[in-house]
Amino acid sequence: MLLGAVKSFTLELYGAHDAAFTRGEVVAGQVVLELRRDIRVYSMKVQGRGVAEAHWLENRTMNSVHNDYTSKKTYFKRRQHLIRDNGEVTVVPAGRHEYPFSFQLPEETLVTSFEGKYGSIRYWVKVKLHRPWATVRKIKKEFTVIEPIDINTPTLLATQAGTKDKMARAWYRNFGQVSVTAKIDRKGYTPGEVIPVFAEFDNSTSRSIAPKAFITQTQTFIARGAMKQKHSIVATLCGDNVSAKCRETWHGRAIKIPPVGPSILQCRIIKVEYMLKVCVDVPGTSNLCLELPLVIGTIPLHPFGSRTSSVSSQYSVNLEWMRLAIPEQPEPPPDYCSVVTEEEAEQCNNTAAQQPADDLSGIMERPLLAFVQEFRFRPPPVYCEIDPNPQLCNIRPRCMTC
């Protein structure tokens, strides 16, 4: 049996199995070509692409004609020639050959890889080997891209709260109103975190109600002006029944976020959104639901983040400056004679002698500057290391009844 000339044709990506890529990073790898004998090659090229695609079929006519809804969005496209087609055939000798390649992802915002029922967001590398009088050999390998979402932003750290009420239907022997008030600390969370739910359920009806909380995921696909959605519940929290004419309060009831994918909000044709729903099952009417939006991010919360660390570093620098500026032992103030000369002191004394000390009749007629000048060269108090006004430790406490 005559074996083919190509023994193996493989594609390897460096680091593709360890971690995901993000915008601006370099995707590198190599193409390994093992030959049993010499072959003639027109060209061999590698392509890198990232495409978001939404697709579904709908039957809208009586004749069972399906309407095809398809939309695509390309986020990047790269091409590199490993064996260039120069119009001549290239002879590749038998043996093992390695062809390295690399390309950089765009610096612009990319979209996280996603697989859904009506669409997907995929990134891949494809290699094509063109030979004369032979079929084109192709290899394709996908890699994951995650667009970072930092929840340490003012928008995602804002408190989410709301209130909603509803009247029960009288013909089901249920009278009164049900109201729900709920609050969560912030809008952004990461998978694995616990959301403390603060809620109050006021049951003014004549029957008991059952409060619950859900984390829902909504996948939205848009194509040709039409929209397709898929809803799913990813986490559930059940509370105790609230009796008639009673009130129940949740003081931070915990609901944990499972390992789900991050929110996708930047794609034009595919969106993934999350919501916390605090609901009440009211007998005889539809459920009362209060919705609080959530954003599932990739960068977790760091309470002592960059801003806090910068402030603390600046504070430490200020402390170092204070340590260098303030000596251990304070020096005594300079002598009065070294600051004020004898002529200035004599001139000040003569000015004070011209005005009698007990004559204050013309004090308002004198200019204010002249009045201040009299106290300009007064000598300071004598410096002494002993406190002239020591604190009295043995002070008898005053009786409050006296």
Side-chain angles (χ1 to χ4, degrees), residues 335-350:
D335 188 48
Y336 179 72
C337 297
S338 63
V339 178
V340 181
T341 61
E342 296 180 358
E343 292 79 4
E344 292 176 339
E346 183 179 358
Q347 182 181 1
C348 179
N349 294 331
N350 295 335

Side-chain angles (χ1 to χ4, degrees), residues 24-153:
E25 292 187 344
V26 176
V27 179
Q30 65 177 5
V31 177
V32 180
L33 179 62
E34 292 188 40
L35 303 176
R36 295 186 177 91
R37 57 180 181 270
D38 299 352
I39 63 171
R40 303 167 64 195
V41 177
Y42 281 139
S43 66
M44 183 169 63
K45 60 184 177 180
V46 57
Q47 292 180 340
R49 296 192 66 183
V51 177
E53 180 180 6
H55 176 259
W56 70 89
L57 299 174
E58 287 187 4
N59 183 11
R60 291 181 175 271
T61 62
M62 299 298 296
N63 298 328
S64 299
V65 178
H66 295 279
N67 292 335
D68 189 355
Y69 292 88
T70 304
S71 62
K72 290 184 179 182
K73 171 67 176 178
T74 302
Y75 285 98
F76 85 97
K77 186 176 182 180
R78 299 288 186 271
R79 178 181 297 180
Q80 184 177 349
H81 290 271
L82 305 179
I83 299 178
R84 188 174 294 275
D85 185 5
N86 297 322
E88 299 179 358
V89 177
T90 302
V91 178
V92 181
R96 177 184 172 91
H97 304 274
E98 297 179 355
Y99 300 90
F101 66 90
S102 65
F103 54 86
Q104 186 177 11
L105 296 176
E107 295 288 347
E108 295 80 10
T109 300
L110 295 178
V111 182
T112 301
S113 300
F114 171 76
E115 290 291 334
K117 183 177 181 180
Y118 303 106
S120 61
I121 302 173
R122 298 174 181 172
Y123 299 84
W124 69 84
V125 176
K126 182 184 291 186
V127 181
K128 294 182 180 181
L129 176 62
H130 296 266
R131 296 183 297 159
W133 304 103
T135 58
V136 179
R137 299 288 295 268
K138 300 179 183 180
I139 312 174
K140 182 179 180 181
K141 181 166 289 189
E142 296 186 4
F143 60 93
T144 304
V145 171
I146 294 181
E147 178 65 18
I149 301 178
D150 190 359
I151 68 172
N152 301 277
T153 58

